[in-house]
Amino acid sequence: ATAADRRRGRRCGEEWRGTVWALRGIAAAAVAAAYVFDREMQEIVDWQWAQLLESAWFRSVYFETCYTVAVYTLLVILFMVLSVVPPLKEFKLYVAARPKPRLGRYSRQFVLHVAPIFLLDAFTVKHYAGVPLDTLPETKWMIFNWTTERQIERLFPAQPPRVLEIMFHMLLATFLYDLFFGTAHYLLHQLPTLHRILHKSHHWHPFGMLADVTGQLALAENLTDILLANLALKLVGAHPMTRAIYVPILLLLLVDNHAGFDFPWNYHRVVPFGLCGGGPAHFEHHQKSGVHYQPFFTYLNPFLTARSG
């Protein structure tokens, strides 16, 4: 494919500017509604939290892992299907990219990536803000909350999260995850041995930039990614319900980054002032490697790019 082919994703021109501003207005209205109708929306959150507390599956220590895998799989399938829809061809960053399902690779990824996480679920204590420590199993190493006493069900705070708290914690967790991941990603590119062992395979996609590249990670890299996301949520004190809402949003952003599209309504268009890079920035990173280390934001890019080897 030629360089021209790789640049054929349609940019947000004048004809799409109205759509972008409409989406910005909807986002602003949603935030305003959360403040103005806080009591009414809180009643919905309270009811939903009561329903979740009754769910044995939601209480299971394996819920988040299964939930994450299911959401990720559905998102990858969705974007892979979109990549062959003719009317969307004009939005593709790399027109020649065509999905080629590789079931053997997917099966290996599932076993190698999910099994260790289930092991962590089985032997680490799930602790959330608002839950007294004396109600949890005794832990050996507080960094990992490792325990020999199996925790079958997660213990939750009695109270549901506040509506504005949910929004604030998700925004802050995204900022922290972006910072943590961007820094780790930069180091992976600057340390040749780590890059060769852990990260080089992620940049190998002969069939073009497609959604399934998102999970094309070495085991250690995948675990690090998951731990960084959990660290960000833990630092902000995210409520378990907030985490459940946040998982599909974070996964959508990550899969969208790798899907090879430049839709005019994507988040990097809606967020103003070029604060976010989105799919085009990450596509450029996969082409040039030495730019756009952050997954979502762009504020560190000049600093890290100037110091790239």
Side-chain angles (χ1 to χ4, degrees):
T2 65
D5 289 332
R6 292 193 294 269
R7 298 190 189 100
R8 283 182 58 190
R10 173 181 289 181
R11 300 304 185 263
C12 183
E14 290 296 328
E15 69 274 23
W16 292 104
R17 184 161 297 179
T19 301
V20 171
W21 277 103
L23 290 172
R24 289 173 180 171
I26 291 172
V31 174
Y35 180 79
V36 174
F37 301 105
D38 177 69
R39 180 178 299 179
E40 292 79 3
M41 297 182 72
Q42 189 61 46
E43 290 177 356
I44 298 174
V45 171
D46 293 349
W47 175 83
Q48 185 61 67
W49 180 238
Q51 299 301 309
L52 290 174
L53 288 176
E54 296 296 321
S55 169
W57 179 232
F58 183 76
R59 296 197 305 269
S60 170
V61 295
Y62 303 105
F63 169 79
E64 284 191 342
T65 298
C66 294
Y67 178 51
T68 300
V69 171
V71 172
Y72 170 76
T73 302
L74 291 174
L75 286 172
V76 169
I77 292 173
L78 170 64
F79 277 99
M80 295 286 272
V81 171
L82 292 179
S83 67
V84 296
V85 175
L88 300 181
K89 181 179 179 180
E90 59 183 322
F91 299 115
K92 294 177 71 173
L93 290 162
Y94 184 40
V95 177
R98 291 290 184 274
K100 186 174 182 179
R102 289 157 285 178
L103 298 182
R105 194 195 77 184
Y106 298 157
S107 299
R108 288 194 299 272
Q109 283 182 351
F110 181 83
V111 173
L112 292 176
H113 291 177
V114 177
I117 302 172
F118 274 124
L119 185 64
L120 288 174
D121 287 337
F123 293 104
T124 57
V125 174
K126 309 290 186 180
H127 177 231
Y128 305 108
V131 177
L133 287 173
D134 57 9
T135 64
L136 299 170
E138 182 180 354
T139 56
K140 300 287 185 182
W141 305 314
M142 286 307 295
I143 294 178
F144 296 102
N145 287 334
W146 193 266
T147 181
T148 55
E149 181 183 345
R150 290 284 305 281
Q151 183 187 22
I152 304 301
E153 291 192 344
R154 301 184 292 167
L155 298 179
F156 297 131
Q159 298 301 318
R162 304 298 302 176
V163 174
L164 291 177
E165 173 190 298
I166 293 173
M167 300 173 70
F168 176 71
H169 280 176
M170 289 197 299
L171 181 61
L172 184 56
T174 302
F175 176 81
L176 289 176
Y177 170 76
D178 181 87
L179 175 63
F180 298 155
F181 180 91
T183 303
H185 191 193
Y186 172 76
L187 292 175
L188 281 176
H189 277 269
Q190 297 309 302
L191 301 174
T193 301
L194 283 181
H195 184 270
R196 184 178 67 256
I197 296 174
L198 299 180
H199 195 57
K200 185 177 180 180
S201 62
H202 183 64
H203 284 256
W204 186 81
H205 33 81
F207 303 110
M209 192 78 158
L210 295 162
D212 62 345
V213 175
T214 312
Q216 190 173 292
L217 304 169
L219 173 59
E221 188 178 13
N222 184 59
L223 286 175
T224 300
D225 196 10
I226 293 170
L227 291 173
L228 290 178
N230 273 282
L231 176 61
L233 289 166
K234 198 170 186 64
L235 287 176
V236 304
H239 192 278
M241 185 173 178
T242 302
R243 293 171 66 100
I245 298 171
Y246 183 64
V247 163
I249 295 174
L250 178 62
L251 289 174
L252 174 62
L253 295 178
L254 291 172
V255 175
D256 176 71
N257 272 1
H258 294 85
F261 283 108
D262 184 11
F263 293 121
W265 52 81
N266 274 26
Y267 74 94
H268 66 283
R269 301 288 185 200
V270 178
V271 177
F273 311 121
L275 294 176
C276 295
H282 201 68
F283 180 83
E284 185 179 3
H285 169 76
H286 273 249
Q287 300 300 308
K288 299 179 181 178
S289 290
V291 295
H292 301 299
Y293 295 101
Q294 292 171 271
F296 311 131
F297 297 106
T298 58
Y299 64 93
L300 284 179
N301 188 54
F303 175 81
L304 296 178
T305 301
R307 287 157 179 79
S308 295

